[in-house]
Amino acid sequence: MLAPIDERRPMKDTDLQTLADAYAFIGNSLLKPMTQTEPVGLDPAFWDAFPDFGSAEVAAAVGACRAFAEEAQDRNAVGEDMVERVSMEFTKLFVGPPSPSAPPWETMNREEGVTVGFGQPTFAMQDILRDMGLRVSNENNQYADHMGIELLALSEMCRRAEGDALPESAVAFIEARPAGWAPALHGKVHEAYPGGYFDSLLTLAEALLQVR
């Protein structure tokens, strides 16, 4: 079963297992609003402990996420509910109504003007999950080509890998699936909420997808 990973448990020691945790955190964050998850992304200490995997791009993205968390703490201190604010951002971007500003499905990001959420990428992801012995299990019945689900699948690939390097199959998956359309999704998020929580989070996702 493809199920959410508990964001609160400590990172593991090996790089691939730590990378798996990083992908799982972002994947889960894209599947549920913060009101339904642990709000660790608004804690600067969480980002202080977040690894950069030796990547300057990841380090810069983590720094931006930490800066957002610091600002969130300041705004909470003057009475603003930042968990609610980020959850409203999530709804506006990925749910709607009337429709999501940044549809989180691969099918709707591969080609301009595509407004249906079930296409060839959905079938491809269903096959990948089936081959991995996984299935989508969530109350919202998300399409399998949701960015959060693709990142959770990648997280599982990292967990199952042997040795210290990503297997070629995982690298091929990254290039064929999430890395191929993450910029399109991020562009829509940035246009709708520049400087928002998910703008920073998807900057981090794109940087992590370059880690090998």
Side-chain angles (χ1 to χ4, degrees), residues 51-182:
D52 62 19
F53 302 98
S55 164
E57 290 77 13
V58 172
V62 170
C65 290
R66 189 189 192 286
F68 185 94
E70 287 183 323
E71 181 185 353
Q73 281 198 333
D74 292 341
R75 294 171 73 165
N76 276 327
V78 296
E80 186 169 356
D81 186 340
M82 287 300 292
V83 169
E84 184 64 28
R85 179 186 180 278
V86 170
S87 296
M88 290 176 63
E89 181 183 335
F90 177 97
T91 300
K92 167 76 172 174
L93 288 171
F94 306 130
V95 181
S99 59
S101 300
W105 305 283
E106 184 176 353
T107 297
M108 299 176 71
N109 284 276
R110 283 293 187 180
E111 296 182 27
E112 286 295 326
V114 175
T115 58
V116 294
F118 196 100
Q120 188 280 329
T122 317
F123 291 112
M125 272 304 300
Q126 287 175 337
D127 289 342
I128 289 168
L129 295 175
R130 187 181 304 111
D131 289 344
M132 293 177 68
L134 302 172
R135 66 181 179 86
V136 177
S137 177
N138 63 81
E139 62 272 21
N140 296 323
N141 296 316
Q142 288 288 358
Y143 297 128
D145 60 337
H146 189 291
M147 177 59 80
I149 292 173
E150 292 194 7
L151 293 179
L152 287 176
L154 179 55
S155 172
E156 185 62 19
M157 292 177 192
C158 292
R159 291 186 200 287
R160 296 181 183 186
E162 298 180 357
D164 298 326
L166 275 174
E168 291 184 5
S169 58
V171 174
F173 173 80
I174 290 171
E175 294 175 352
R177 301 257 76 89
W181 64 282

